[in-house]
Amino acid sequence: MTDFTMTTDADGVATIVWDTVGKSMNVMSRDSMGLLSDLLDSALADEAVKGIIITSGKDSFAGGMDLNVLASIRDESGDNPAQGLFDFTMNGHHMLRKLERAGMDPKTNKGGKPIAAALPGTALGIGLEVPLACHRIFAADNPKAKIGLPEIMVGIFPGAGGTTRLVRKLGAMAASPLLLEGKLNNPQKAKAAGVIDEVVPADELLAKAKEWVLSEPKIVKPWDEKGYKMPGGAPYHPAGFMTYVGASAMVNGKTQGVYPAAKALLSAVYEGALVPFDQALKIEARWFTHILMNPSSSAMIRSLFINKEALEKGANRPEAPDQKVKQVGVIGAGMMGAGIALVSALAGIKVVLIDSTQEAADKGKSYTTAYMDKGISRKKATEEKKAAVLDLINATTDYDALKGCDLIIEAVFEDVGVKADVTAKVQAVTGPDCIFATNTSTLPITELAKAAADPEKFIGIHFFSPVDKMLLVEIIKGKQTGPVAVAKALDYVRQIRKTPIVVNDERFFYANRCIIPYINEGIRMVKEGVAPALIENAAKLVGMPLGPLQLTDETSIDLGVKIAKATKAAMGDAYPNAEVDDVLFWMFDEGRLGRKSNAGFYAYDDKGKRQGLWDALGARYPVAGAQPDLITVQHRLLFAQVLEAVRALEEGVLEDIREGDVGAILGWGFAPWSGGPFSWLDIIGAPYAAERCDQLTEQFGERFKTPDLLREMADKGQSFYKRFGADAKAA
Ligand code: NAD
């Protein structure tokens, strides 16, 4: 069996079927690319073949390039990996150019065989770049199919001609959401956007493609014809000029200059637009190689694609029979419980949603109603779907309704006593096999498990707010949590299509443990007299989605005060954050609780829209005459987080650095360009990181003290991924 096979029918139409062996979706590998090239050669050389259809043996067309291939090419290319990657990319271009030219005479554009792409479903990445090289793209009318070039999302850009072809097909302006944002469309929308040519009923897909192939169509691409003009204008055309200048500003504004792929993509588009097509492909290949050689792109691919997927597929799932959830009980229908009920019902799981009053339970359920209504108004859901989802949620005060639940998720008030009561009440009804999970964000799981009948079946499933938007779920093992509970939590997270990390039970688990020092460092700088605008902009310029002060406003200052008080009570004299509390408690006393009170580190208008930083803050905390440089502020903000991640690893809270990196990006938006805290440390290198920590410790205090592990790695010249990565684990 091979990934591509070809048959030719009596009418002389050769059909090449892509069917990657052993995968549910087609992915392009190095070998399969060679195979496709060979089949094309033989079809183009065979006089009996009049035209070609490229289609798929699966429901979808293709998911894209096997991104492991790019990493392996770089690793296998000896001392000149850039050359290896460039040659590989150019090989791809030659193959697709051969497909596009299809044997036409280079001078007259005469002859050649028509080649149609027939997409039964989703076509992503190189799974769309191959069709873009074909002469006509047919897609089955399958509204669930996704068509697009999402490469930018993992820190690269379409490098198999997709960039050059799409811009020449649509113009830079129309191509920009597809290339720069990785926007995916269903077939109808992809046709409206001009990406594909025809949408046909699924059962007529091949027939329509064949009909076209046999119709002796014109197959020469516009850019291979004399006098071709780029839609919307090339860069030296007045309209084109505006597009390119605007795009450059937009990209820098959106990425703050930290995502090299977006800039490289723009360069490939701009420079490519100035030269003939084949030259443009070469330019695209050079920029593509440049990006593949950038440590940010490998780190992003590793965390956001390879490792994210591995975790979703259960890389750290203990051996246990299938634990798919049939009915979940959600206790507490507040902000979190309502969201948990929603995402569970959306996944088709029956939900019993309990609160202390029927009114509160109904209010929790109404969150799903509102969500579905919004979906309907945006044409993403239907009345039937809404009715089906709502039907799955039983909002009640009756604990007896929990009989038959195989998973309970408790999301009541953050109070040990209330949670203990609820645990006992629930367990009086549920069976011995039911797993009990708590969504606590601050209370130790091992402590809460004391109220459970069987602590082996007790676990933390920590969602982030808002539940329906946040992709990460942190699973926390208490001291006695057993493997079945972990498997249950993981299988549930998989059902609701989120990404799990599994950590051990220590104060604030993993995500909050790292994000709190980030917030604290920002506030500490306010107290020191660092300009708030410098703090906020330094954070954004290093790729944090929100500055620490804005984040404090979003999560609310009263929550910060509550956490500070609890931490102080637990740590006693060792509590290190008095300076932070000075600011935080004052803000609290002033009633500036953040977004929810329309007043915080930022000012807000009556409608709650954030304005600028609150200018009166300086009256209490004057801005110092001498300001630190940008890098110092950035390093304080980044090291505050990554040192906690390293300590979490040292202490065994994290068992897998992949979870540390993926969790950081999805959980609190840690500079995604870096691939996560451990990837960032690998990029800057342990020796430099340790040296920098020494300097920061001297200047700013013990909280930056180099962890022993980092010191040891610096001395030995080690990297986290070589020492702790999946390969090291397997070895
Ligand atoms: P919330 O106050 O919005 O909701 C709590 C709900 O629990 C309320 O509807 C309340 O009526 C109900 N409740 C209280 N006692 C009950 C009882 N004995 N029986 C049944 N229902 C009861 O709180 P929330 O923000 O949804 O937080 C809930 C839990 O999730 C807390 O443990 C919190 O720490 C955790 N959490 C919150 C966030 C967040 O961002 N808000 C994030 C992660 C985890």
Side-chain angles (χ1 to χ4, degrees):
M1 285 221 308
T2 57
D3 288 4
F4 283 96
T5 49
M6 183 168 76
T7 48
T8 304
D9 68 12
D11 298 317
V13 176
T15 303
I16 297 178
V17 178
W18 189 355
D19 201 349
T20 305
V21 179
K23 298 245 180 193
S24 57
M25 213 183 216
N26 292 327
V27 285
M28 190 69 95
S29 65
R30 226 184 315 190
D31 290 348
S32 52
M33 227 151 126
L35 210 59
L36 175 60
S37 183
D38 292 346
L39 291 179
L40 276 172
D41 282 338
S42 68
L44 292 173
D46 184 348
E47 291 204 345
V49 172
K50 294 201 182 80
I52 303 166
I53 298 171
I54 302 180
T55 189
S56 156
K58 305 193 193 288
D59 294 344
S60 54
F61 183 67
M65 187 79 193
D66 178 351
L67 290 176
N68 289 298
V69 171
L70 297 174
S72 66
I73 290 169
R74 189 183 35 231
D75 297 344
E76 288 162 19
S77 299
D79 359 325
N80 199 348
Q83 190 67 49
L85 287 164
F86 179 74
D87 292 346
F88 171 78
T89 308
M90 284 309 293
N91 267 341
H93 283 326
H94 292 144
M95 194 262 283
L96 292 180
R97 197 61 178 133
K98 172 171 72 188
L99 193 166
E100 188 164 52
R101 295 297 298 158
M104 272 176 265
D105 184 287
K107 285 214 178 90
T108 63
N109 279 335
K110 294 248 160 64
K113 301 182 183 187
I115 305 181
L119 319 178
T122 290
L124 301 175
I126 201 169
L128 179 59
E129 291 180 290
V130 172
L132 282 170
C134 295
H135 305 119
R136 198 154 184 87
I137 307 175
F138 294 80
D141 192 4
N142 167 359
K144 290 214 167 125
K146 294 199 167 99
I147 295 179
L149 299 167
E151 284 85 342
I152 200 81
M153 310 302 286
V154 289
I156 56 176
F157 68 87
T163 298
T164 302
R165 286 196 175 85
L166 207 61
V167 168
R168 274 177 161 68
K169 191 168 176 174
L170 307 180
M173 183 74 105
S176 89
L178 302 155
L179 293 172
L180 281 169
E181 293 161 24
K183 188 172 190 304
L184 307 181
N185 287 309
N186 67 27
Q188 292 289 0
K189 286 195 177 142
K191 178 167 186 271
V195 178
I196 63 169
D197 304 300
E198 292 197 37
V199 180
V200 298
D203 54 357
E204 293 173 23
L205 179 66
L206 290 179
K208 292 280 183 200
K210 181 172 169 177
E211 198 181 305
W212 177 84
V213 162
L214 291 174
S215 67
E216 297 188 11
K218 180 177 168 190
I219 59 171
V220 62
K221 287 285 173 74
W223 43 89
D224 283 326
E225 290 196 288
K226 269 214 179 76
Y228 162 76
K229 286 212 167 48
M230 185 168 293
Y236 41 79
H237 181 279
F241 176 79
M242 295 307 288
T243 306
Y244 283 90
V245 171
S248 182
M250 187 197 87
V251 166
N252 272 309
K254 275 199 174 167
T255 65
Q256 306 282 339
V258 291
Y259 291 93
K263 272 192 172 181
L265 165 70
L266 268 192
S267 298
V269 169
Y270 176 82
E271 292 165 21
L274 298 170
V275 295
F277 188 79
D278 286 298
Q279 210 77 22
L281 287 179
K282 207 164 173 183
I283 290 172
E284 184 192 293
R286 291 213 186 282
W287 279 113
F288 189 58
T289 304
H290 173 80
I291 278 308
L292 294 179
M293 291 300 295
N294 187 308
S296 161
S297 79
S298 351
M300 280 181 82
I301 290 176
R302 184 175 59 205
S303 291
L304 290 174
F305 183 79
I306 297 170
N307 291 342
K308 177 173 171 289
E309 196 174 282
L311 298 178
E312 285 163 0
K313 286 191 171 158
N316 291 327
R317 185 186 187 278
E319 278 294 321
D322 184 3
Q323 294 294 321
K324 231 180 266 129
V325 175
K326 291 175 204 75
Q327 176 162 298
V328 62
V330 179
I331 323 296
M335 186 166 93
M336 298 306 286
I340 297 166
L342 164 68
V343 297
S344 303
L346 283 176
I349 302 170
K350 275 167 87 179
V351 182
V352 179
L353 179 60
I354 291 205
D355 207 298
S356 5
T357 64
Q358 187 61 41
E359 197 189 348
D362 289 341
K363 183 161 178 258
K365 183 171 174 176
S366 71
Y367 186 73
T368 297
T369 314
Y371 178 92
M372 296 307 292
D373 284 341
K374 204 162 164 193
I376 292 170
S377 73
R378 293 182 179 173
K379 301 215 162 24
K380 289 200 165 149
T382 57
E383 289 292 346
E384 296 78 63
K385 175 79 183 164
K386 173 182 161 187
V389 171
L390 284 172
D391 210 33
L392 287 169
I393 303 176
N394 173 14
T396 175
T397 55
D398 179 11
Y399 278 70
D400 276 342
L402 296 170
K403 271 191 193 119
C405 284
D406 48 332
L407 174 69
I408 300 292
I409 302 177
E410 167 276 302
V412 299
F413 297 141
E414 190 72 337
D415 180 287
V416 179
V418 176
K419 287 189 188 292
D421 276 355
V422 165
T423 309
K425 256 170 107 175
V426 167
Q427 296 204 322
V429 180
T430 52
D433 293 334
C434 179
I435 301 296
F436 192 103
T438 171
N439 181 46
T440 179
S441 34
T442 55
L443 304 170
I445 304 301
T446 311
E447 208 43 45
L448 295 177
K450 288 185 181 152
D454 179 359
E456 272 200 31
K457 304 226 167 71
F458 192 95
I459 194 162
I461 301 186
H462 180 212
F463 284 86
F464 295 82
S465 171
V467 177
D468 42 293
K469 293 223 174 73
M470 296 299 285
L471 302 170
L472 187 75
V473 177
E474 192 173 22
I475 295 171
I476 305 116
K477 293 187 282 189
K479 295 243 157 30
Q480 298 180 59
T481 301
V484 175
V486 177
K488 186 94 195 171
L490 282 167
D491 290 358
Y492 167 68
V493 172
R494 191 165 183 179
Q495 276 175 285
I496 58 170
R497 293 162 173 261
K498 295 199 182 280
T499 308
I501 62 170
V502 183
V503 303
N504 285 306
D505 186 20
E506 275 298 334
R507 175 176 290 279
F508 301 136
F509 319 131
Y510 175 61
N512 286 341
R513 171 184 184 143
C514 298
I515 195 70
I516 292 170
Y518 169 68
I519 289 178
N520 284 348
E521 200 60 29
I523 297 177
R524 201 184 295 271
M525 284 193 250
V526 170
K527 165 91 177 154
E528 288 170 19
V530 178
L534 174 57
I535 302 169
E536 294 294 88
N537 287 324
K540 286 193 205 147
L541 284 169
V542 81
M544 294 299 296
L546 302 185
L549 305 180
Q550 189 186 342
L551 185 58
T552 312
D553 273 10
E554 296 293 334
T555 50
S556 90
I557 286 183
D558 48 328
L559 180 66
V561 166
K562 206 170 149 199
I563 291 175
K565 282 186 177 159
T567 313
K568 197 169 175 179
M571 292 181 79
D573 287 347
Y575 183 69
N577 295 326
E579 303 285 288
V580 177
D581 291 355
D582 187 284
V583 182
L584 204 61
F585 285 51
W586 178 74
M587 293 282 284
F588 181 77
D589 291 342
E590 293 288 299
R592 298 192 73 87
L593 305 185
R595 175 181 285 287
K596 70 179 182 194
S597 68
N598 262 5
F601 286 108
Y602 284 80
Y604 298 81
D605 69 12
D606 297 345
K607 293 196 182 100
K609 191 159 189 284
R610 191 163 39 83
Q611 309 291 303
L613 279 152
W614 179 42
D615 48 15
L617 186 63
R620 168 90 183 186
Y621 298 104
V623 172
Q627 289 292 308
D629 62 72
L630 179 71
I631 301 286
T632 302
V633 177
Q634 290 180 328
H635 278 179
R636 285 180 69 174
L637 294 173
L638 285 182
F639 275 106
Q641 302 168 70
V642 300
L643 291 182
E644 270 317 311
V646 174
R647 289 181 201 121
L649 179 68
E650 264 182 331
E651 291 168 18
V653 173
L654 275 179
E655 293 178 353
D656 183 338
I657 58 167
R658 295 180 295 177
E659 295 180 310
D661 273 353
V662 173
I665 298 177
L666 301 188
W668 75 92
F670 180 89
W673 63 268
S674 69
F678 296 103
S679 293
W680 183 66
L681 287 170
D682 279 357
I683 289 173
I684 65 171
Y688 174 69
E691 187 190 323
R692 199 65 189 107
C693 287
D694 292 344
Q695 293 161 353
L696 291 171
T697 308
E698 208 181 302
Q699 273 181 290
F700 303 107
E702 283 298 299
R703 64 190 180 282
F704 291 108
K705 188 165 175 267
T706 311
D708 291 344
L709 174 64
L710 185 61
R711 173 84 63 209
E712 182 199 322
M713 291 175 60
D715 291 344
K716 293 182 177 163
Q718 289 175 331
S719 75
F720 282 95
Y721 273 88
K722 286 239 164 68
R723 178 161 165 178
F724 298 105
D727 294 347
K729 279 197 164 179

